[in-house]
Amino acid sequence: LFGSFTSGLAQNARLAEEYFRSGEYEKAALMFKQLYDKNPSSDYYLNRFIDSKVAVNEYEDALKVVQQAIKMNPNTVSYYVSLGTIYERLGEEDKSEKEYRNAIEKMPPDRFQINRLANAFMSQTKYDLAIEAFKRGAELLNDEGVFAYNLAELYRRKGDREEMMQYYLYAIEI
C-alpha cells in the first residue's frame, strides 16, 4: 500500500513539474498545493506553488499559504525568504527586506537550517544574502571553516576571484 502511495506521489510531482515547465501555471499550482498539503515539510513543493501563483500574478493565495507555513513552522527560516520574494514581486521592497533580515536573524545554530536558508537565497540569486547567511551560520556554529567551500562557490558566482580563492584555500586547509 505504501509503495503505491509513494509512486502516485512521484507521478503527481512529475506531472506538476511538467505543467510548470510548459507554462500551465494554474494546473501546476493546484497540483503543487496538493503535494505540499500531503508533505508540508517540502520546501520544494511550497516554492513551486508560490512560483506558479506568482507567474499568474495571484499573490494573495501565495501570501496566505506562506504565512500559514510560517505560523505552523516559525523556525523554518527559509519560509521568510519565500515571503520576502512575494513582497518583492509586489514592489514592497521594505517588507521584502524586513523578511530577508528576519530569516537571517532567526536562523538557529543548525547546519541543515543554515544550508536551507542559504540555498533559498541562492535560488533567488541573492548571493550577498546567502553569503551573509553562511557567515552568520559559521558564527552560530562557532566553526569558522564549516561553510568555506560554500562561500568560495558563492564568490565564484559573483565573480569575486580574490574572495573565492581565499575561501577555496581555506576549505583545503581544513
Side-chain angles (χ1 to χ4, degrees):
L1 177 70
F2 186 71
S4 65
F5 171 75
T6 55
S7 70
L9 202 61
Q11 217 172 359
N12 285 349
R14 279 193 300 273
L15 185 57
E17 192 62 40
E18 188 58 41
Y19 284 141
F20 186 85
R21 287 191 181 145
S22 65
E24 296 182 66
Y25 298 115
E26 292 287 345
K27 290 179 184 175
L30 187 65
M31 292 194 78
F32 280 122
K33 177 70 168 85
Q34 290 169 349
L35 288 162
Y36 173 69
D37 288 344
K38 288 178 186 161
N39 189 358
S41 64
S42 173
D43 283 358
Y44 184 78
Y45 295 149
L46 176 65
N47 287 325
R48 276 302 208 209
F49 167 76
I50 292 165
D51 292 343
S52 299
K53 285 296 190 179
V54 166
V56 292
N57 299 321
E58 292 181 8
Y59 300 103
E60 290 308 311
D61 288 345
L63 271 175
K64 268 187 250 172
V65 171
V66 174
Q67 288 166 335
Q68 185 62 35
I70 289 171
K71 201 177 290 181
M72 287 170 43
N73 301 297
N75 296 329
T76 305
V77 289
S78 58
Y79 291 163
Y80 296 96
V81 177
S82 300
L83 187 56
T85 300
I86 295 167
Y87 285 135
E88 194 172 310
R89 301 270 165 75
L90 285 167
E92 298 183 37
E93 295 296 323
D94 291 347
K95 283 185 179 179
S96 174
E97 190 60 34
K98 180 179 170 254
E99 294 307 331
Y100 296 148
R101 292 280 133 229
N102 246 343
I104 292 171
E105 286 167 25
K106 292 179 184 226
M107 184 172 56
D110 172 321
R111 192 171 176 168
F112 176 73
Q113 286 283 358
I114 295 163
N115 267 309
R116 205 169 163 183
L117 177 60
N119 286 332
F121 282 130
M122 286 188 301
S123 73
Q124 300 297 321
T125 63
K126 299 195 174 307
Y127 300 137
D128 289 332
L129 288 167
I131 288 168
E132 194 177 329
F134 277 134
K135 285 183 174 180
R136 175 142 162 56
E139 283 174 25
L140 289 170
L141 295 173
N142 207 16
D143 183 350
E144 202 178 309
V146 68
F147 300 114
Y149 183 78
N150 305 78
L151 286 162
E153 275 297 295
L154 280 163
Y155 283 116
R156 182 188 64 76
R157 288 182 186 192
K158 284 185 63 180
D160 186 336
R161 296 175 78 96
E162 197 170 314
E163 287 290 322
M164 174 192 77
M165 289 305 296
Q166 260 184 308
Y167 278 100
Y168 274 135
L169 290 171
Y170 191 56
I172 292 168
E173 287 173 18
I174 305 171

